[in-house]
Amino acid sequence: MQPIEPFYEKKLTCVFCGKPFTTQRVRSRFSIPHQVDSDFCPHFRDGNYNPHFYYVNVCPDCGFAFSEEFSDQFPKGSKEIIRFQITGHWTKRNFGHVRDIHQALESYKLAILAGSLKQEKNAVLAGLCLRLAWLYRTENNTDQEMRFMGLALNAYEESFVHSDFAGSSMSEIDVLYMIGELSRRLGQYKKAITYFAKAIEHKNAKDEPKVINRAREQWKVAVEENRQGTTQK
């Protein structure tokens, strides 16, 4: 009996140019984290693989990078901008094999650029920036981790204001929690306390007990950090 490989090939069609290509995915049995941080960043032991290395799909032909959260709708004029800014400068290469950390990081930066030019939802851009921050955390690159956490925070705040998380995998309570937790991690404790409280007091709180319990725990952490007088950023 042949051993099961940790990776499998997935066939995709580029949402921008329409050409087919293949990419890799990690089988779930090989991507079990041994630890998950309070902002949902997973950590893996040897023998397990980080599926977030493969969250972004990169078309080898045109260079457009996207996640499964991207819509297939392009605002008027955006395709021309993408063609000029991305495809016009693209050196054809294949991200469809097993990726190292450098290729994973590059795939996210390509997707953030593509999503920004496409005017993708703030919730989608926030998710990309957050996952990129996670990858930098695993590399102990604190400066870049903080940079992309800050961009994720800004995008989640915009998503909350415009309610553009509707139709995504996130609820309003999820968004409030993420604003609170990223604010806390960036040293903005008063803002964190405010947003955790908004989540806890939300009208639908009883429907989402897991995230509400987590929000209560992190509210206590943020209150204590603020009490200790750590400089408000």
Side-chain angles (χ1 to χ4, degrees), residues 81-101:
I81 294 169
I82 291 166
R83 202 167 282 117
F84 176 74
Q85 295 270 15
I86 296 177
T87 306
H89 299 280
W90 177 245
T91 301
K92 290 187 181 183
R93 55 198 187 277
N94 192 353
F95 283 75
H97 304 300
V98 175
R99 296 176 185 172
D100 60 24
I101 183 63

Side-chain angles (χ1 to χ4, degrees), residues 3-210:
I4 297 173
E5 293 293 321
F7 298 94
Y8 67 94
E9 203 170 71
K10 183 166 184 178
K11 295 180 180 178
L12 296 169
T13 300
C14 178
V15 297
F16 179 69
C17 73
K19 293 191 176 177
F21 65 98
T22 58
T23 191
Q24 298 291 316
R25 290 287 188 270
V26 185
R27 296 187 195 278
S28 57
R29 69 176 69 181
F30 292 97
S31 58
I32 300 170
H34 73 90
Q35 175 189 327
V36 178
D37 295 340
S38 52
D39 63 349
F40 306 106
C41 173
H43 297 270
F44 301 89
R45 289 196 174 99
D46 288 345
N48 276 261
Y49 299 87
N50 191 338
H52 295 292
F53 273 44
Y54 305 93
Y55 180 77
V56 171
N57 312 305
V58 184
C59 176
D61 196 72
C62 71
F64 189 79
F66 59 99
S67 73
E68 292 180 9
E69 302 277 334
F70 275 46
S71 75
D72 56 5
Q73 302 299 310
F74 286 78
K76 186 177 180 181
S78 63
K79 282 201 166 187
E80 288 73 20
I81 294 169
I82 291 166
R83 202 167 282 117
F84 176 74
Q85 295 270 15
I86 296 177
T87 306
H89 299 280
W90 177 245
T91 301
K92 290 187 181 183
R93 55 198 187 277
N94 192 353
F95 283 75
H97 304 300
V98 175
R99 296 176 185 172
D100 60 24
I101 183 63
H102 304 292
Q103 292 166 320
L105 293 171
E106 186 180 2
S107 73
Y108 278 95
K109 291 174 184 177
L110 289 168
I112 291 167
L113 173 60
S116 299
L117 296 177
K118 182 182 179 293
Q119 300 169 46
E120 194 53 73
K121 288 181 176 183
N122 289 294
V124 173
L125 294 173
L128 291 169
C129 291
L130 179 62
R131 287 171 175 82
L132 182 50
W134 292 347
L135 293 188
Y136 277 119
R137 186 178 305 167
T138 64
E139 291 296 293
N140 298 312
N141 188 332
T142 304
D143 288 345
Q144 289 300 314
E145 177 195 348
M146 300 293 273
R147 176 191 171 201
F148 284 100
M149 273 202 300
L151 292 173
L153 173 58
N154 292 340
Y156 278 127
E157 289 183 277
E158 287 295 311
S159 181
F160 174 63
V161 169
H162 300 291
S163 297
D164 78 355
F165 53 84
S168 76
S169 59
M170 297 189 77
S171 69
E172 187 166 80
I173 291 175
D174 291 329
V175 174
L176 290 169
Y177 175 83
M178 290 310 304
I179 294 172
E181 180 58 17
L182 293 177
S183 297
R184 187 192 70 77
R185 285 176 172 270
L186 291 165
Q188 300 173 24
Y189 303 118
K190 290 178 181 175
K191 184 198 283 189
I193 291 165
T194 297
Y195 277 91
F196 286 138
K198 285 178 185 284
I200 294 163
E201 295 162 5
H202 196 278
K203 62 182 180 180
N204 298 328
K206 67 180 186 302
D207 299 326
E208 301 186 49
K210 284 186 179 179

